[in-house]
Amino acid sequence: MGTDQKHLYPDVTASGGLGPAMKEAAELRGCDIGLSPWDVDVVSVETARGVVSVDPAADERLFRMRVHIPGFTWEIGSTDDLGLLVEAVAAWRAGVPLEELATRFTFMELDEFARALDSGELISAQWSDLLSSDFHRGERNLLRRLHADDVLRSMFPTISHGAVRLRVDPLDGTSRQVLVHELDEARHEVMRVGVPGATWTEVPTGDLIACLRAALNRE
């Protein structure tokens, strides 16, 4: 923590870092926030609803609570009260329903994406968002082709540099995944991500769905 921040966070400074300060606050409140011994200045907590991080603001006393899944990070609230923060982290980690979280912790901002994550509907919400996005209208035909298949529709989609990535597990960045890029109506390129010697392979459109299914089912 920088010198300019120490006057904003005297409790954090006195404890030797954000991690120790949060652990002390959690112990006082009987909370289990699951911090590892090496969490000192950087706080990261694994939960069933993504990785929760806490980041202190530099220009005012404010602890920002964020959730991360592979490829996405969003803030779900901020507060200047360290005790209230650790209670919220513990409740999120324990799987407390979002409606109860919103009632107990009024500083939390639980948007549609957080609600989809909590309800287990993250994949369908992501498909809906991409299919309706004007920003990704160039990939819309490919998205529709993939979404029409009942197996591929159960994969988590993202888009990067014009290619659609399908991942088996939205919360596991190392789970099986493929990239697919449309060359034209008759041809696509496919790459199995995370395997030795991975490279783009041209696939006729008629074989695309079968190729993707096989790649995502292969161990």
Side-chain angles (χ1 to χ4, degrees), residues 51-85:
V51 176
V52 173
S53 71
V54 176
D55 176 38
D59 54 352
E60 61 178 324
R61 181 182 171 88
L62 200 63
F63 300 99
R64 296 173 296 203
M65 186 175 170
R66 294 187 171 112
V67 173
H68 311 261
I69 66 171
F72 291 89
T73 297
W74 70 103
E75 189 169 315
I76 59 172
S78 56
T79 177
D80 62 358
D81 187 327
L82 184 60
L84 196 61
L85 174 81

Tab-separated table of all heavy atoms in Angstrom, residues 51-85:
chain	number	residue	atom	x	y	z
A	51	VAL	N	-14.272	-15.981	-8.585
A	51	VAL	CA	-13.226	-15.526	-7.672
A	51	VAL	C	-13.561	-14.112	-7.211
A	51	VAL	O	-13.783	-13.220	-8.030
A	51	VAL	CB	-11.844	-15.536	-8.355
A	51	VAL	CG1	-10.780	-14.962	-7.428
A	51	VAL	CG2	-11.479	-16.957	-8.775
A	52	VAL	N	-13.606	-13.919	-5.904
A	52	VAL	CA	-13.895	-12.599	-5.334
A	52	VAL	C	-12.579	-11.913	-4.983
A	52	VAL	O	-11.706	-12.519	-4.349
A	52	VAL	CB	-14.772	-12.715	-4.071
A	52	VAL	CG1	-14.925	-11.354	-3.399
A	52	VAL	CG2	-16.138	-13.278	-4.424
A	53	SER	N	-12.428	-10.682	-5.405
A	53	SER	CA	-11.251	-9.901	-5.036
A	53	SER	C	-11.685	-8.616	-4.356
A	53	SER	O	-12.816	-8.143	-4.550
A	53	SER	CB	-10.385	-9.577	-6.261
A	53	SER	OG	-11.027	-8.617	-7.087
A	54	VAL	N	-10.786	-8.066	-3.547
A	54	VAL	CA	-11.030	-6.784	-2.881
A	54	VAL	C	-9.880	-5.857	-3.214
A	54	VAL	O	-8.709	-6.233	-3.092
A	54	VAL	CB	-11.157	-6.951	-1.355
A	54	VAL	CG1	-11.317	-5.594	-0.673
A	54	VAL	CG2	-12.333	-7.867	-1.013
A	55	ASP	N	-10.223	-4.657	-3.625
A	55	ASP	CA	-9.220	-3.694	-4.066
A	55	ASP	C	-9.497	-2.350	-3.392
A	55	ASP	O	-10.572	-1.775	-3.567
A	55	ASP	CB	-9.291	-3.542	-5.590
A	55	ASP	CG	-8.336	-2.496	-6.106
A	55	ASP	OD1	-7.217	-2.398	-5.579
A	55	ASP	OD2	-8.712	-1.767	-7.047
A	56	PRO	N	-8.546	-1.827	-2.595
A	56	PRO	CA	-8.762	-0.525	-1.964
A	56	PRO	C	-8.531	0.624	-2.948
A	56	PRO	O	-7.567	0.611	-3.719
A	56	PRO	CB	-7.726	-0.503	-0.841
A	56	PRO	CG	-6.637	-1.415	-1.311
A	56	PRO	CD	-7.291	-2.461	-2.163
A	57	ALA	N	-9.429	1.588	-2.953
A	57	ALA	CA	-9.274	2.750	-3.829
A	57	ALA	C	-8.094	3.601	-3.369
A	57	ALA	O	-7.714	3.579	-2.195
A	57	ALA	CB	-10.556	3.582	-3.821
A	58	ALA	N	-7.527	4.363	-4.302
A	58	ALA	CA	-6.333	5.144	-3.993
A	58	ALA	C	-6.642	6.548	-3.491
A	58	ALA	O	-5.864	7.122	-2.724
A	58	ALA	CB	-5.446	5.237	-5.229
A	59	ASP	N	-7.781	7.132	-3.906
A	59	ASP	CA	-8.043	8.537	-3.604
A	59	ASP	C	-9.094	8.746	-2.519
A	59	ASP	O	-9.376	9.881	-2.139
A	59	ASP	CB	-8.468	9.279	-4.873
A	59	ASP	CG	-9.645	8.606	-5.563
A	59	ASP	OD1	-10.026	7.493	-5.139
A	59	ASP	OD2	-10.170	9.178	-6.535
A	60	GLU	N	-9.686	7.658	-2.006
A	60	GLU	CA	-10.640	7.732	-0.909
A	60	GLU	C	-10.703	6.369	-0.241
A	60	GLU	O	-10.298	5.366	-0.818
A	60	GLU	CB	-12.027	8.126	-1.413
A	60	GLU	CG	-12.623	7.140	-2.401
A	60	GLU	CD	-14.013	7.526	-2.849
A	60	GLU	OE1	-14.760	8.067	-2.015
A	60	GLU	OE2	-14.351	7.299	-4.025
A	61	ARG	N	-11.162	6.349	1.007
A	61	ARG	CA	-11.290	5.066	1.695
A	61	ARG	C	-12.497	4.332	1.123
A	61	ARG	O	-13.652	4.677	1.377
A	61	ARG	CB	-11.456	5.263	3.196
A	61	ARG	CG	-11.575	3.925	3.963
A	61	ARG	CD	-11.786	4.127	5.438
A	61	ARG	NE	-12.100	2.865	6.110
A	61	ARG	CZ	-11.193	2.019	6.608
A	61	ARG	NH1	-9.905	2.307	6.510
A	61	ARG	NH2	-11.575	0.892	7.194
A	62	LEU	N	-12.204	3.304	0.352
A	62	LEU	CA	-13.257	2.545	-0.300
A	62	LEU	C	-12.710	1.173	-0.685
A	62	LEU	O	-11.721	1.069	-1.411
A	62	LEU	CB	-13.743	3.285	-1.558
A	62	LEU	CG	-15.116	2.905	-2.082
A	62	LEU	CD1	-16.203	3.234	-1.057
A	62	LEU	CD2	-15.386	3.616	-3.394
A	63	PHE	N	-13.352	0.135	-0.162
A	63	PHE	CA	-12.984	-1.231	-0.513
A	63	PHE	C	-13.923	-1.701	-1.625
A	63	PHE	O	-15.130	-1.812	-1.422
A	63	PHE	CB	-13.113	-2.155	0.703
A	63	PHE	CG	-12.244	-1.765	1.861
A	63	PHE	CD1	-12.776	-1.050	2.934
A	63	PHE	CD2	-10.893	-2.092	1.877
A	63	PHE	CE1	-11.978	-0.688	4.009
A	63	PHE	CE2	-10.087	-1.729	2.947
A	63	PHE	CZ	-10.627	-1.029	4.017
A	64	ARG	N	-13.350	-1.995	-2.798
A	64	ARG	CA	-14.148	-2.405	-3.946
A	64	ARG	C	-14.165	-3.924	-4.048
A	64	ARG	O	-13.118	-4.558	-4.096
A	64	ARG	CB	-13.592	-1.777	-5.226
A	64	ARG	CG	-13.693	-0.262	-5.225
A	64	ARG	CD	-13.007	0.367	-6.409
A	64	ARG	NE	-11.569	0.130	-6.399
A	64	ARG	CZ	-10.683	0.902	-7.041
A	64	ARG	NH1	-11.090	1.945	-7.722
A	64	ARG	NH2	-9.395	0.622	-6.987
A	65	MET	N	-15.345	-4.478	-4.087
A	65	MET	CA	-15.530	-5.929	-4.161
A	65	MET	C	-15.846	-6.311	-5.602
A	65	MET	O	-16.786	-5.784	-6.202
A	65	MET	CB	-16.669	-6.341	-3.215
A	65	MET	CG	-16.895	-7.825	-3.079
A	65	MET	SD	-18.176	-8.132	-1.812
A	65	MET	CE	-18.468	-9.883	-2.061
A	66	ARG	N	-15.035	-7.218	-6.161
A	66	ARG	CA	-15.204	-7.620	-7.554
A	66	ARG	C	-15.333	-9.138	-7.661
A	66	ARG	O	-14.848	-9.870	-6.809
A	66	ARG	CB	-14.014	-7.150	-8.392
A	66	ARG	CG	-13.885	-5.632	-8.521
A	66	ARG	CD	-12.787	-5.283	-9.494
A	66	ARG	NE	-12.773	-3.865	-9.812
A	66	ARG	CZ	-11.814	-3.025	-9.448
A	66	ARG	NH1	-10.793	-3.458	-8.736
A	66	ARG	NH2	-11.868	-1.753	-9.790
A	67	VAL	N	-15.958	-9.571	-8.739
A	67	VAL	CA	-16.060	-10.992	-9.048
A	67	VAL	C	-15.397	-11.237	-10.400
A	67	VAL	O	-15.572	-10.459	-11.342
A	67	VAL	CB	-17.531	-11.461	-9.085
A	67	VAL	CG1	-17.627	-12.901	-9.580
A	67	VAL	CG2	-18.158	-11.353	-7.708
A	68	HIS	N	-14.637	-12.322	-10.485
A	68	HIS	CA	-13.930	-12.676	-11.709
A	68	HIS	C	-14.310	-14.089	-12.146
A	68	HIS	O	-14.355	-15.009	-11.330
A	68	HIS	CB	-12.413	-12.658	-11.495
A	68	HIS	CG	-11.899	-11.426	-10.816
A	68	HIS	ND1	-11.336	-10.377	-11.510
A	68	HIS	CD2	-11.859	-11.081	-9.500
A	68	HIS	CE1	-10.980	-9.429	-10.640
A	68	HIS	NE2	-11.286	-9.841	-9.424
A	69	ILE	N	-14.620	-14.243	-13.423
A	69	ILE	CA	-14.622	-15.549	-14.059
A	69	ILE	C	-13.720	-15.388	-15.282
A	69	ILE	O	-13.435	-14.257	-15.687
A	69	ILE	CB	-16.046	-16.006	-14.457
A	69	ILE	CG1	-16.630	-15.114	-15.559
A	69	ILE	CG2	-16.958	-16.037	-13.248
A	69	ILE	CD1	-17.934	-15.648	-16.134
A	70	PRO	N	-13.215	-16.473	-15.861
A	70	PRO	CA	-12.288	-16.324	-16.992
A	70	PRO	C	-12.846	-15.440	-18.101
A	70	PRO	O	-13.900	-15.716	-18.655
A	70	PRO	CB	-12.094	-17.775	-17.463
A	70	PRO	CG	-12.296	-18.591	-16.222
A	70	PRO	CD	-13.398	-17.889	-15.483
A	71	GLY	N	-12.164	-14.342	-18.367
A	71	GLY	CA	-12.578	-13.419	-19.421
A	71	GLY	C	-13.473	-12.289	-18.972
A	71	GLY	O	-13.761	-11.383	-19.757
A	72	PHE	N	-13.923	-12.306	-17.711
A	72	PHE	CA	-14.844	-11.278	-17.229
A	72	PHE	C	-14.479	-10.857	-15.806
A	72	PHE	O	-14.145	-11.689	-14.963
A	72	PHE	CB	-16.294	-11.793	-17.216
A	72	PHE	CG	-16.873	-12.020	-18.581
A	72	PHE	CD1	-16.721	-13.242	-19.205
A	72	PHE	CD2	-17.556	-11.011	-19.230
A	72	PHE	CE1	-17.249	-13.461	-20.466
A	72	PHE	CE2	-18.091	-11.219	-20.492
A	72	PHE	CZ	-17.933	-12.445	-21.111
A	73	THR	N	-14.584	-9.552	-15.566
A	73	THR	CA	-14.446	-8.999	-14.222
A	73	THR	C	-15.479	-7.901	-14.067
A	73	THR	O	-15.629	-7.061	-14.954
A	73	THR	CB	-13.037	-8.407	-14.000
A	73	THR	OG1	-12.062	-9.441	-14.112
A	73	THR	CG2	-12.935	-7.776	-12.616
A	74	TRP	N	-16.214	-7.925	-12.967
A	74	TRP	CA	-17.161	-6.838	-12.741
A	74	TRP	C	-17.273	-6.551	-11.254
A	74	TRP	O	-17.124	-7.438	-10.424
A	74	TRP	CB	-18.516	-7.112	-13.376
A	74	TRP	CG	-19.362	-8.186	-12.772
A	74	TRP	CD1	-20.437	-8.025	-11.960
A	74	TRP	CD2	-19.227	-9.604	-12.949
A	74	TRP	NE1	-20.977	-9.234	-11.612
A	74	TRP	CE2	-20.251	-10.223	-12.209
A	74	TRP	CE3	-18.329	-10.404	-13.658
A	74	TRP	CZ2	-20.413	-11.599	-12.145
A	74	TRP	CZ3	-18.478	-11.789	-13.605
A	74	TRP	CH2	-19.515	-12.364	-12.867
A	75	GLU	N	-17.506	-5.265	-10.957
A	75	GLU	CA	-17.618	-4.830	-9.569
A	75	GLU	C	-19.030	-5.079	-9.063
A	75	GLU	O	-20.003	-4.798	-9.761
A	75	GLU	CB	-17.272	-3.342	-9.461
A	75	GLU	CG	-17.157	-2.840	-8.021
A	75	GLU	CD	-16.561	-1.450	-7.931
A	75	GLU	OE1	-15.552	-1.186	-8.614
A	75	GLU	OE2	-17.104	-0.628	-7.175
A	76	ILE	N	-19.129	-5.615	-7.848
A	76	ILE	CA	-20.460	-5.881	-7.289
A	76	ILE	C	-20.737	-5.020	-6.059
A	76	ILE	O	-21.711	-5.258	-5.343
A	76	ILE	CB	-20.643	-7.376	-6.957
A	76	ILE	CG1	-19.602	-7.860	-5.948
A	76	ILE	CG2	-20.614	-8.213	-8.216
A	76	ILE	CD1	-19.863	-9.276	-5.452
A	77	GLY	N	-19.900	-4.004	-5.831
A	77	GLY	CA	-20.182	-3.082	-4.740
A	77	GLY	C	-18.923	-2.572	-4.080
A	77	GLY	O	-17.832	-3.112	-4.277
A	78	SER	N	-19.058	-1.509	-3.299
A	78	SER	CA	-17.915	-0.943	-2.588
A	78	SER	C	-18.406	-0.292	-1.298
A	78	SER	O	-19.520	0.235	-1.237
A	78	SER	CB	-17.169	0.072	-3.458
A	78	SER	OG	-18.041	1.099	-3.898
A	79	THR	N	-17.552	-0.325	-0.282
A	79	THR	CA	-17.899	0.247	1.021
A	79	THR	C	-16.634	0.700	1.728
A	79	THR	O	-15.545	0.183	1.454
A	79	THR	CB	-18.635	-0.798	1.892
A	79	THR	OG1	-18.902	-0.230	3.176
A	79	THR	CG2	-17.813	-2.058	2.073
A	80	ASP	N	-16.777	1.637	2.651
A	80	ASP	CA	-15.626	2.076	3.444
A	80	ASP	C	-15.527	1.310	4.767
A	80	ASP	O	-14.610	1.521	5.549
A	80	ASP	CB	-15.690	3.583	3.711
A	80	ASP	CG	-16.931	3.981	4.525
A	80	ASP	OD1	-17.758	3.099	4.841
A	80	ASP	OD2	-17.072	5.177	4.826
A	81	ASP	N	-16.471	0.400	4.986
A	81	ASP	CA	-16.555	-0.347	6.246
A	81	ASP	C	-15.936	-1.730	6.062
A	81	ASP	O	-16.524	-2.607	5.410
A	81	ASP	CB	-18.019	-0.463	6.664
A	81	ASP	CG	-18.195	-1.067	8.056
A	81	ASP	OD1	-17.386	-1.924	8.441
A	81	ASP	OD2	-19.160	-0.680	8.735
A	82	LEU	N	-14.759	-1.944	6.630
A	82	LEU	CA	-14.053	-3.217	6.456
A	82	LEU	C	-14.839	-4.378	7.060
A	82	LEU	O	-14.879	-5.477	6.492
A	82	LEU	CB	-12.656	-3.134	7.082
A	82	LEU	CG	-11.755	-4.365	6.901
A	82	LEU	CD1	-11.513	-4.653	5.432
A	82	LEU	CD2	-10.424	-4.153	7.625
A	83	GLY	N	-15.461	-4.156	8.211
A	83	GLY	CA	-16.241	-5.211	8.841
A	83	GLY	C	-17.416	-5.645	7.984
A	83	GLY	O	-17.684	-6.841	7.824
A	84	LEU	N	-18.113	-4.664	7.425
A	84	LEU	CA	-19.240	-4.972	6.554
A	84	LEU	C	-18.760	-5.702	5.304
A	84	LEU	O	-19.420	-6.621	4.805
A	84	LEU	CB	-19.948	-3.668	6.171
A	84	LEU	CG	-21.358	-3.771	5.588
A	84	LEU	CD1	-22.304	-4.425	6.581
A	84	LEU	CD2	-21.851	-2.391	5.186
A	85	LEU	N	-17.602	-5.295	4.811
A	85	LEU	CA	-17.039	-5.934	3.623
A	85	LEU	C	-16.777	-7.417	3.859
A	85	LEU	O	-17.161	-8.255	3.043
A	85	LEU	CB	-15.738	-5.232	3.229
A	85	LEU	CG	-14.987	-5.912	2.086
A	85	LEU	CD1	-15.585	-5.522	0.752
A	85	LEU	CD2	-13.512	-5.574	2.125
